[in-house]
mmCIF file of all heavy atoms in Angstrom:
data_model
loop_
_atom_site.group_PDB
_atom_site.id
_atom_site.type_symbol
_atom_site.label_atom_id
_atom_site.label_comp_id
_atom_site.label_asym_id
_atom_site.label_seq_id
_atom_site.Cartn_x
_atom_site.Cartn_y
_atom_site.Cartn_z
ATOM 1 N N ALA S 117 -8.959 30.456 -7.488
ATOM 2 C CA ALA S 117 -7.571 30.782 -7.161
ATOM 3 C C ALA S 117 -7.448 32.263 -6.815
ATOM 4 O O ALA S 117 -6.791 32.636 -5.828
ATOM 5 C CB ALA S 117 -6.663 30.440 -8.340
ATOM 6 N N PHE S 118 -8.082 33.104 -7.621
ATOM 7 C CA PHE S 118 -8.066 34.545 -7.352
ATOM 8 C C PHE S 118 -8.716 34.848 -6.016
ATOM 9 O O PHE S 118 -8.158 35.543 -5.160
ATOM 10 C CB PHE S 118 -8.782 35.282 -8.478
ATOM 11 C CG PHE S 118 -9.010 36.745 -8.212
ATOM 12 C CD1 PHE S 118 -8.052 37.681 -8.546
ATOM 13 C CD2 PHE S 118 -10.186 37.189 -7.613
ATOM 14 C CE1 PHE S 118 -8.247 39.037 -8.299
ATOM 15 C CE2 PHE S 118 -10.398 38.523 -7.354
ATOM 16 C CZ PHE S 118 -9.420 39.457 -7.703
ATOM 17 N N ALA S 120 -9.517 32.867 -3.462
ATOM 18 C CA ALA S 120 -8.907 32.251 -2.285
ATOM 19 C C ALA S 120 -7.723 33.088 -1.809
ATOM 20 O O ALA S 120 -7.579 33.359 -0.604
ATOM 21 C CB ALA S 120 -8.460 30.826 -2.609
ATOM 22 N N CYS S 121 -6.868 33.503 -2.738
ATOM 23 C CA CYS S 121 -5.741 34.366 -2.365
ATOM 24 C C CYS S 121 -6.237 35.721 -1.881
ATOM 25 O O CYS S 121 -5.655 36.316 -0.968
ATOM 26 C CB CYS S 121 -4.799 34.536 -3.556
ATOM 27 S SG CYS S 121 -3.879 33.048 -3.984
ATOM 28 N N TYR S 122 -7.313 36.196 -2.480
ATOM 29 C CA TYR S 122 -7.901 37.467 -2.060
ATOM 30 C C TYR S 122 -8.398 37.382 -0.620
ATOM 31 O O TYR S 122 -8.130 38.264 0.200
ATOM 32 C CB TYR S 122 -9.042 37.809 -3.006
ATOM 33 C CG TYR S 122 -9.846 39.028 -2.638
ATOM 34 C CD1 TYR S 122 -9.376 40.304 -2.903
ATOM 35 C CD2 TYR S 122 -11.107 38.904 -2.038
ATOM 36 C CE1 TYR S 122 -10.118 41.426 -2.579
ATOM 37 C CE2 TYR S 122 -11.852 40.016 -1.715
ATOM 38 C CZ TYR S 122 -11.357 41.276 -1.988
ATOM 39 O OH TYR S 122 -12.100 42.373 -1.656
ATOM 40 N N SER S 123 -9.112 36.308 -0.300
ATOM 41 C CA SER S 123 -9.680 36.190 1.042
ATOM 42 C C SER S 123 -8.607 35.950 2.092
ATOM 43 O O SER S 123 -8.649 36.535 3.182
ATOM 44 C CB SER S 123 -10.711 35.057 1.081
ATOM 45 O OG SER S 123 -10.121 33.824 0.733
ATOM 46 N N LEU S 124 -7.622 35.108 1.790
ATOM 47 C CA LEU S 124 -6.539 34.875 2.744
ATOM 48 C C LEU S 124 -5.666 36.114 2.908
ATOM 49 O O LEU S 124 -5.246 36.453 4.021
ATOM 50 C CB LEU S 124 -5.688 33.685 2.282
ATOM 51 C CG LEU S 124 -6.385 32.322 2.293
ATOM 52 C CD1 LEU S 124 -5.474 31.249 1.708
ATOM 53 C CD2 LEU S 124 -6.801 31.945 3.718
ATOM 54 N N GLY S 125 -5.406 36.788 1.809
ATOM 55 C CA GLY S 125 -4.615 38.009 1.890
ATOM 56 C C GLY S 125 -5.316 39.122 2.637
ATOM 57 O O GLY S 125 -4.669 40.016 3.192
ATOM 58 N N MET S 126 -6.639 39.056 2.684
ATOM 59 C CA MET S 126 -7.424 40.090 3.354
ATOM 60 C C MET S 126 -7.093 40.177 4.843
ATOM 61 O O MET S 126 -6.993 41.271 5.407
ATOM 62 C CB MET S 126 -8.914 39.803 3.166
ATOM 63 C CG MET S 126 -9.830 40.884 3.668
ATOM 64 S SD MET S 126 -10.009 42.234 2.501
ATOM 65 C CE MET S 126 -10.998 41.449 1.244
ATOM 66 N N ALA S 129 -3.782 41.870 5.062
ATOM 67 C CA ALA S 129 -3.889 43.243 4.581
ATOM 68 C C ALA S 129 -4.626 44.122 5.585
ATOM 69 O O ALA S 129 -4.282 45.299 5.757
ATOM 70 C CB ALA S 129 -4.618 43.273 3.236
ATOM 71 N N PHE S 141 -0.151 52.180 1.197
ATOM 72 C CA PHE S 141 -0.558 50.780 1.139
ATOM 73 C C PHE S 141 -1.568 50.567 0.020
ATOM 74 O O PHE S 141 -1.475 49.615 -0.758
ATOM 75 C CB PHE S 141 -1.143 50.377 2.490
ATOM 76 C CG PHE S 141 -1.457 48.918 2.625
ATOM 77 C CD1 PHE S 141 -0.472 47.964 2.493
ATOM 78 C CD2 PHE S 141 -2.752 48.504 2.897
ATOM 79 C CE1 PHE S 141 -0.756 46.611 2.624
ATOM 80 C CE2 PHE S 141 -3.046 47.159 3.037
ATOM 81 C CZ PHE S 141 -2.048 46.210 2.893
ATOM 82 N N GLY S 145 -1.103 48.459 -3.626
ATOM 83 C CA GLY S 145 -2.037 47.408 -4.007
ATOM 84 C C GLY S 145 -2.660 47.642 -5.368
ATOM 85 O O GLY S 145 -2.824 46.701 -6.158
ATOM 86 N N SER S 149 -1.990 45.309 -8.602
ATOM 87 C CA SER S 149 -3.138 44.651 -9.224
ATOM 88 C C SER S 149 -3.167 44.899 -10.727
ATOM 89 O O SER S 149 -3.362 43.973 -11.521
ATOM 90 C CB SER S 149 -4.442 45.148 -8.595
ATOM 91 O OG SER S 149 -4.513 44.824 -7.230
ATOM 92 N N MET S 173 -1.076 34.019 -12.285
ATOM 93 C CA MET S 173 -1.367 35.449 -12.429
ATOM 94 C C MET S 173 -2.601 35.844 -11.618
ATOM 95 O O MET S 173 -2.645 36.900 -10.988
ATOM 96 C CB MET S 173 -1.581 35.811 -13.905
ATOM 97 C CG MET S 173 -0.334 35.726 -14.762
ATOM 98 S SD MET S 173 1.040 36.731 -14.149
ATOM 99 C CE MET S 173 2.080 35.471 -13.394
ATOM 100 N N GLN S 174 -3.608 34.990 -11.613
ATOM 101 C CA GLN S 174 -4.810 35.270 -10.834
ATOM 102 C C GLN S 174 -4.524 35.240 -9.335
ATOM 103 O O GLN S 174 -5.062 36.044 -8.574
ATOM 104 C CB GLN S 174 -5.905 34.255 -11.174
ATOM 105 C CG GLN S 174 -6.594 34.504 -12.512
ATOM 106 C CD GLN S 174 -7.468 35.737 -12.489
ATOM 107 O OE1 GLN S 174 -6.987 36.866 -12.619
ATOM 108 N NE2 GLN S 174 -8.759 35.546 -12.344
ATOM 109 N N MET S 175 -3.678 34.326 -8.908
ATOM 110 C CA MET S 175 -3.356 34.229 -7.494
ATOM 111 C C MET S 175 -2.617 35.473 -7.001
ATOM 112 O O MET S 175 -2.953 36.041 -5.954
ATOM 113 C CB MET S 175 -2.524 32.972 -7.232
ATOM 114 C CG MET S 175 -3.289 31.669 -7.441
ATOM 115 S SD MET S 175 -2.241 30.205 -7.357
ATOM 116 C CE MET S 175 -1.799 30.222 -5.613
ATOM 117 N N VAL S 176 -1.628 35.917 -7.752
ATOM 118 C CA VAL S 176 -0.871 37.104 -7.344
ATOM 119 C C VAL S 176 -1.758 38.345 -7.402
ATOM 120 O O VAL S 176 -1.711 39.207 -6.513
ATOM 121 C CB VAL S 176 0.380 37.282 -8.229
ATOM 122 C CG1 VAL S 176 1.151 38.533 -7.828
ATOM 123 C CG2 VAL S 176 1.281 36.064 -8.127
ATOM 124 N N ALA S 177 -2.577 38.442 -8.445
ATOM 125 C CA ALA S 177 -3.501 39.573 -8.540
ATOM 126 C C ALA S 177 -4.453 39.586 -7.356
ATOM 127 O O ALA S 177 -4.784 40.654 -6.812
ATOM 128 C CB ALA S 177 -4.288 39.514 -9.851
ATOM 129 N N GLY S 178 -4.898 38.408 -6.905
ATOM 130 C CA GLY S 178 -5.784 38.330 -5.754
ATOM 131 C C GLY S 178 -5.144 38.865 -4.483
ATOM 132 O O GLY S 178 -5.799 39.538 -3.677
ATOM 133 N N LEU S 179 -3.858 38.580 -4.301
ATOM 134 C CA LEU S 179 -3.149 39.086 -3.120
ATOM 135 C C LEU S 179 -3.092 40.606 -3.133
ATOM 136 O O LEU S 179 -3.293 41.261 -2.102
ATOM 137 C CB LEU S 179 -1.744 38.496 -3.061
ATOM 138 C CG LEU S 179 -1.655 36.995 -2.763
ATOM 139 C CD1 LEU S 179 -0.209 36.520 -2.879
ATOM 140 C CD2 LEU S 179 -2.193 36.693 -1.366
ATOM 141 N N PHE S 180 -2.802 41.190 -4.276
ATOM 142 C CA PHE S 180 -2.757 42.654 -4.365
ATOM 143 C C PHE S 180 -4.148 43.261 -4.212
ATOM 144 O O PHE S 180 -4.309 44.332 -3.620
ATOM 145 C CB PHE S 180 -2.133 43.085 -5.695
ATOM 146 C CG PHE S 180 -0.631 43.092 -5.692
ATOM 147 C CD1 PHE S 180 0.085 42.064 -6.277
ATOM 148 C CD2 PHE S 180 0.072 44.118 -5.085
ATOM 149 C CE1 PHE S 180 1.469 42.055 -6.275
ATOM 150 C CE2 PHE S 180 1.454 44.128 -5.066
ATOM 151 C CZ PHE S 180 2.163 43.095 -5.667
ATOM 152 N N GLN S 181 -5.160 42.579 -4.746
ATOM 153 C CA GLN S 181 -6.517 43.111 -4.636
ATOM 154 C C GLN S 181 -6.997 43.138 -3.191
ATOM 155 O O GLN S 181 -7.871 43.922 -2.835
ATOM 156 C CB GLN S 181 -7.465 42.260 -5.479
ATOM 157 C CG GLN S 181 -7.309 42.417 -6.970
ATOM 158 C CD GLN S 181 -8.264 43.415 -7.577
ATOM 159 O OE1 GLN S 181 -9.372 43.597 -7.095
ATOM 160 N NE2 GLN S 181 -7.843 44.080 -8.635
ATOM 161 N N ALA S 182 -6.422 42.276 -2.340
ATOM 162 C CA ALA S 182 -6.834 42.226 -0.934
ATOM 163 C C ALA S 182 -6.534 43.511 -0.186
ATOM 164 O O ALA S 182 -7.095 43.761 0.881
ATOM 165 C CB ALA S 182 -6.148 41.048 -0.241
ATOM 166 N N THR S 183 -5.681 44.349 -0.720
ATOM 167 C CA THR S 183 -5.337 45.612 -0.043
ATOM 168 C C THR S 183 -6.466 46.631 -0.118
ATOM 169 O O THR S 183 -6.498 47.570 0.682
ATOM 170 C CB THR S 183 -4.081 46.237 -0.686
ATOM 171 O OG1 THR S 183 -4.368 46.519 -2.082
ATOM 172 C CG2 THR S 183 -2.902 45.283 -0.628
ATOM 173 N N GLY S 184 -7.387 46.461 -1.053
ATOM 174 C CA GLY S 184 -8.336 47.523 -1.355
ATOM 175 C C GLY S 184 -9.415 47.771 -0.330
ATOM 176 O O GLY S 184 -9.505 48.863 0.240
#
Side-chain angles (χ1 to χ4, degrees):
F118 171 88
C121 290
Y122 174 79
S123 60
L124 293 175
M126 187 81 72
F141 187 60
S149 297
M173 291 304 103
Q174 284 290 80
M175 292 172 68
V176 179
L179 291 174
F180 277 102
Q181 289 265 329
T183 61

